[in-house]
Amino acid sequence: MFWGVRMNLKKKVSLAVVKRLPRYYRYLSDLLKMDIKRISSQELSSRMGITASQIRQDLNCFGGFGQQGYGYNVEFLFNEIGNILGLNNDYHAIIIGAGNMGQALANYTNFEKRGFKIIGIFDVNTSLVGTDIRGIPIRHLDELESFVQENYVDVAMLAVPFEQTPIVAERAAKLGVKGLWNFSPMDLKLPYDVIIENVHLSDGLMVLGYKLNEKFEFIREDSSKGNDGNS
Amino acid sequence: MFWGVRMNLKKKVSLAVVKRLPRYYRYLSDLLKMDIKRISSQELSSRMGITASQIRQDLNCFGGFGQQGYGYNVEFLFNEIGNILGLNNDYHAIIIGAGNMGQALANYTNFEKRGFKIIGIFDVNTSLVGTDIRGIPIRHLDELESFVQENYVDVAMLAVPFEQTPIVAERAAKLGVKGLWNFSPMDLKLPYDVIIENVHLSDGLMVLGYKLNEKFEFIREDSSKGNDGNS
């Protein structure tokens, strides 16, 4: 791997734009599958539900290959965004916690397509230790330190119980793991030089709730009270 | 329940702001737990890592209770945001797919705190059918139609295999389920009057990857090639 070289090729883009890139990346990959070679910001806008001007603003970060009357070269744009996101890297990830969420993550093959290879899974449940998921062995959490010292681990995906999360996160950070992807519903913060992405599943659910509330009149019979919302 | 009344109390806020509300809501709930009664936009800014002006802009949507020199009344703001998000509603949700992700969702008690009560779980795996998770019975997917007809179901959480997702989603939408929360890595779209929130787990991972790449020099020995990134 020539990380150094790749680093030099990477462009600098604002994080606000970066956060929208995965979505562009997915849509462009769909276009490629449909063998669509080029697309205008207007077409992309109607597909993605983002304004064309927002799209032009975002994609201007990647230089002037969106040409008047031509639009965007889908494959070029796809590859450029992949480069910016560093998807051609191979990160080594471990999963800490092999409960339902941890196992769901271990079975989520998409991560490998994004450059994240899961090289280890850890749990304290002795009935799980020694088994494997997709060929990845589940080790006892006691082995975390020795494993991380012997293997390159860039990212730890944390899928442990809420109260265990800060403890396990600190152990991983102290070992020099560079990134933590936390699935416990908390904004994990640590006094270490580690990048933390907190996943808040219920945030998306709350937004869904808002849209439901906005769109639908929730007037319905209430079986518990036996009257309806109008009364 | 007096849905009609609650609907009339709800304020209208732009979706861009709404998407940030769950985060405010979480931080304010932490402040309440710490018994903090009021907070300035500056303090909130440093806690949340959002600019104070962004915070003021966002929270202005809720009228003028952020006063110069006083700041925000934490409890009032917390309740207002909860109202906007409709968290005092009780939505009835079902989970379709009782694999690892479905079971993780079923065990995620936070959803109830957000007003989403899981009233049913469905799967085709006969070894799961008849068992329950936290007292919620797992039914065979064949019972979906009769269950939804007999019970109010606002939201279906879809945790089924990729290729099954559009099929199951259409079944739920045809039954009048108002919202779909999709965990398959696809932008699900349906020709029905249903609100769809697609969860793209790997989007967050890609952003984490970008931050790692930006912050750390990934020069390291490559065990597979036995040379280092500089060579």
Side-chain angles (χ1 to χ4, degrees):
Chain A
M1 291 179 294
F2 297 91
W3 294 87
V5 176
R6 192 186 307 105
M7 290 296 296
N8 302 339
L9 291 173
K10 269 178 61 62
K11 298 196 192 67
K12 184 88 178 163
V13 182
S14 90
L15 190 59
V17 177
V18 168
K19 286 189 170 169
R20 286 189 288 270
L21 292 185
R23 191 145 168 246
Y24 286 113
Y25 191 79
R26 281 187 278 106
Y27 273 84
L28 290 163
S29 109
D30 292 345
L31 292 172
L32 281 178
K33 287 190 201 114
M34 293 181 276
D35 203 37
I36 294 172
K37 299 264 186 288
R38 59 189 225 188
I39 189 163
S40 68
S41 48
Q42 288 77 8
E43 289 167 72
L44 201 55
S45 165
S46 62
R47 282 176 180 273
M48 292 182 64
I50 302 179
T51 66
S53 70
Q54 175 74 81
I55 289 175
R56 281 189 296 267
Q57 267 183 48
D58 288 348
L59 302 188
N60 279 346
C61 307
F62 312 119
F65 51 83
Q67 297 144 38
Q68 280 292 343
Y70 175 86
Y72 296 100
N73 177 313
V74 172
E75 188 174 6
F76 183 78
L77 188 53
F78 177 77
N79 293 331
E80 277 292 299
I81 291 177
N83 265 319
I84 302 290
L85 289 170
L87 301 186
N88 43 4
N89 292 354
D90 64 338
Y91 296 108
H92 294 176
I94 57 173
I95 297 172
I96 305 182
N100 289 316
M101 181 55 81
Q103 291 191 32
L105 293 173
N107 284 305
Y108 201 77
T109 53
N110 246 33
F111 299 150
E112 270 141 47
K113 296 192 197 117
R114 306 303 189 225
F116 288 81
K117 186 174 182 223
I118 293 158
I119 61 169
I121 305 170
F122 298 85
D123 204 285
V124 291
N125 180 342
T126 50
S127 67
L128 291 171
V129 171
T131 64
D132 72 278
I133 302 173
R134 296 196 300 122
I136 309 157
I138 301 178
R139 295 180 168 81
H140 195 285
L141 189 58
D142 294 346
E143 298 176 42
L144 181 67
E145 280 70 16
S146 59
F147 183 90
V148 174
Q149 277 146 16
E150 290 157 22
N151 300 272
Y152 297 113
V153 176
D154 303 305
V155 172
M157 305 180 176
L158 307 179
V160 297
F162 188 87
E163 54 288 343
Q164 291 302 315
T165 303
I167 302 158
V168 170
E170 182 162 13
R171 274 175 73 177
K174 277 183 174 169
L175 287 165
V177 171
K178 302 178 194 75
L180 300 177
W181 202 28
N182 165 42
F183 282 81
S184 283
M186 63 173 69
D187 280 294
L188 187 64
K189 290 194 185 97
L190 290 174
Y192 297 94
D193 188 24
V194 61
I195 290 166
I196 301 174
E197 280 285 311
N198 294 293
V199 179
H200 291 284
L201 281 181
S202 42
D203 284 12
L205 189 58
M206 284 192 264
V207 172
L208 177 59
Y210 178 85
K211 291 177 179 173
L212 288 171
N213 227 333
E214 191 182 42
K215 176 164 178 151
F216 296 98
E217 278 288 339
F218 281 94
I219 308 288
R220 60 183 184 188
E221 253 187 34
D222 179 351
S223 41
S224 70
K225 292 214 197 67
N227 59 16
D228 71 56
N230 284 328
S231 62
Chain B
M1 290 178 295
F2 297 93
W3 294 87
V5 176
R6 191 185 308 107
M7 291 295 296
N8 302 340
L9 290 174
K10 269 178 61 62
K11 296 195 193 70
K12 184 87 179 165
V13 183
S14 90
L15 190 59
V17 177
V18 168
K19 287 190 169 170
R20 285 188 289 268
L21 292 186
R23 191 145 168 244
Y24 286 113
Y25 191 79
R26 281 187 277 107
Y27 273 84
L28 290 163
S29 109
D30 293 344
L31 292 173
L32 281 178
K33 287 190 202 114
M34 292 181 276
D35 204 36
I36 294 173
K37 299 262 185 290
R38 60 189 221 187
I39 188 162
S40 68
S41 49
Q42 288 76 8
E43 289 167 74
L44 201 54
S45 166
S46 61
R47 282 176 180 273
M48 292 182 65
I50 302 179
T51 67
S53 70
Q54 175 73 79
I55 289 175
R56 281 189 296 268
Q57 266 184 50
D58 288 347
L59 301 187
N60 278 346
C61 307
F62 312 118
F65 49 83
Q67 297 144 36
Q68 281 291 345
Y70 175 85
Y72 296 99
N73 178 314
V74 173
E75 188 174 5
F76 183 77
L77 188 52
F78 177 77
N79 293 331
E80 278 292 299
I81 291 177
N83 264 319
I84 302 289
L85 290 170
L87 301 185
N88 44 5
N89 292 356
D90 64 340
Y91 296 109
H92 293 176
I94 57 172
I95 296 171
I96 305 182
N100 288 315
M101 181 56 80
Q103 291 191 33
L105 294 174
N107 284 307
Y108 202 77
T109 53
N110 246 33
F111 299 150
E112 270 141 46
K113 296 192 198 120
R114 305 302 188 225
F116 288 80
K117 187 172 181 226
I118 293 158
I119 61 170
I121 305 169
F122 297 86
D123 203 285
V124 291
N125 179 342
T126 50
S127 69
L128 291 171
V129 171
T131 65
D132 72 278
I133 302 173
R134 296 195 299 121
I136 309 157
I138 301 178
R139 295 180 169 80
H140 195 286
L141 189 58
D142 294 345
E143 297 177 42
L144 182 67
E145 279 71 15
S146 58
F147 183 89
V148 174
Q149 276 146 17
E150 290 157 22
N151 301 271
Y152 297 113
V153 176
D154 303 304
V155 171
M157 305 179 176
L158 307 179
V160 296
F162 188 87
E163 53 289 343
Q164 291 301 314
T165 302
I167 302 158
V168 170
E170 181 162 14
R171 273 176 74 177
K174 277 183 174 169
L175 287 164
V177 171
K178 301 177 195 75
L180 301 177
W181 202 30
N182 166 40
F183 282 82
S184 283
M186 64 173 69
D187 279 294
L188 187 63
K189 289 195 185 97
L190 290 175
Y192 297 94
D193 188 25
V194 61
I195 290 166
I196 302 174
E197 281 284 312
N198 294 294
V199 179
H200 291 285
L201 281 182
S202 42
D203 284 12
L205 189 59
M206 285 192 265
V207 172
L208 176 60
Y210 177 85
K211 292 177 178 173
L212 288 172
N213 226 333
E214 191 182 42
K215 176 163 181 154
F216 297 98
E217 278 288 340
F218 280 94
I219 309 288
R220 60 183 184 187
E221 254 186 34
D222 180 350
S223 41
S224 69
K225 292 213 199 68
N227 59 16
D228 71 57
N230 283 329
S231 62

